Amino acid sequence: MTDVFINYRTGDGDKTAALIDHELSRRFGRDRAFRASKSIAPGSAYPDALLTGLRRSSVLLAVIGPDWTKFQARLRDPEDWVRKEIVEAFTCGIPVVPVLDGRKTDRLNKADLPDDLARLADLQSIRLDGHDTETGLKRLGDLVAEMAGLHDADRDAVPPPASDSVTNSTGDVNGTAVQSRDFTGDVGGTVIKGSNGPVHTGQGNIYQNSRHVSGDRHFSGDGSTYFEGDHHGDIRHRFGESGRREGDNE
């Protein structure tokens, strides 16, 4: 669906119209802006295409170049399409925004306009300054977004994952697992509850210097690493294959 109709005259504002179209299409999506030379396919009936595109729009941008009012014969010709599009927008109640192309373009004067276009002189215009095009296009885009209810095309895009993302695998763990990354040396302060299956907590050595077993808690090293609950996985703290601590009496 078209939201913005760009009205312009070839030879006076057509390059600026193309620039506006490019910016709005980039920001809101290609189909959101209608510009005749882009939006009407070769072989199509352009009168029908123009009127259809216009009537589907929420706002018409009338690009006013420095010589716009010099085309008096065309402005007074009911068949002139620049005139016809603006008059049709007035008839359909579509808001019209005059876009003054460049610093040297004056605001419209009713004395220079035919009666059907006289309303243009009363409308608040926006200037697109060629010396600061980026700022002007941003301002125009913000205005269009507000008037037509548009949103930036990439606003809801999901950002790519960070390049240093970490993938962890705990495998067969039932209960609470608290984990960190980049383990080096001895592992301390690691808590694993209710695990079933192999448990790996990093590169530190947690299989030596077992101190004692109390109830269902197994302490190793200096006591900073311990396991709570029933364990059925591959967890050994210098126990024999029978499950007894090596050196313990039966």
Side-chain angles (χ1 to χ4, degrees):
M1 177 180 178
T2 302
D3 292 284
V4 185
F5 189 96
I6 303 174
N7 168 273
Y8 64 96
R9 186 176 296 284
T10 301
D12 185 70
D14 49 334
K15 293 181 180 179
T16 298
L19 190 64
I20 294 172
D21 178 25
H22 180 271
E23 172 61 16
L24 298 182
S25 296
R26 180 199 66 80
R27 181 168 172 180
F28 305 117
R30 178 178 174 82
D31 295 334
R32 296 298 189 179
F34 185 101
R35 182 170 60 92
S37 59
K38 177 202 75 174
S39 304
I40 302 178
S44 300
Y46 76 87
D48 292 340
L50 283 172
L51 292 176
T52 298
L54 174 60
R55 291 164 182 166
R56 290 178 176 176
S57 299
S58 299
V59 59
L60 180 144
L61 300 180
V63 179
I64 310 296
D67 295 325
W68 198 82
T69 56
K70 295 180 181 180
F71 292 86
Q72 285 295 320
R74 296 187 184 180
L75 290 177
R76 300 180 191 291
D77 180 3
E79 297 304 316
D80 177 65
W81 274 102
V82 172
R83 169 196 167 111
K84 186 179 290 190
E85 290 164 5
I86 296 173
V87 171
E88 182 68 16
F90 288 155
T91 301
C92 295
I94 298 171
V96 175
V97 178
V99 180
L100 305 183
D101 183 12
R103 293 182 177 182
K104 296 182 179 181
T105 302
D106 296 328
R107 288 179 56 90
L108 295 174
N109 189 315
K110 284 187 177 181
D112 298 325
L113 302 173
D115 292 342
D116 287 347
L117 298 179
R119 289 176 55 187
L120 278 175
D122 293 331
L123 300 177
Q124 180 67 19
S125 60
I126 183 170
R127 187 176 299 277
L128 191 59
D129 189 346
H131 293 279
D132 192 5
T133 305
E134 183 177 352
T135 299
L137 289 174
K138 172 66 166 56
R139 182 185 174 199
L140 182 61
D142 291 345
L143 175 66
V144 166
E146 181 178 355
M147 295 182 69
L150 295 176
H151 301 282
D152 290 3
D154 60 344
R155 176 170 293 181
D156 298 324
V158 178
S163 59
D164 61 346
S165 58
V166 179
T167 301
N168 297 292
S169 176
T170 58
D172 298 328
V173 176
N174 296 319
T176 302
V178 180
Q179 57 186 352
S180 183
R181 58 174 292 185
D182 299 335
F183 287 101
T184 58
D186 293 336
V187 179
T190 303
V191 180
I192 301 176
K193 296 182 179 182
S195 62
N196 291 299
V199 178
H200 305 279
T201 61
Q203 299 177 354
N205 191 343
I206 63 172
Y207 299 104
Q208 59 183 352
N209 300 325
S210 178
R211 297 177 61 186
H212 65 278
V213 177
S214 176
D216 61 352
R217 299 188 179 187
H218 301 252
F219 296 86
S220 66
D222 59 0
S224 61
T225 301
Y226 63 93
F227 301 84
E228 295 182 1
D230 297 329
H231 305 281
H232 304 289
D234 185 16
I235 304 176
R236 299 189 179 91
H237 290 70
R238 296 190 62 184
F239 284 73
E241 293 298 324
S242 63
R244 298 188 300 277
R245 182 177 175 180
E246 291 180 1
D248 288 350
N249 294 328
E250 296 184 3

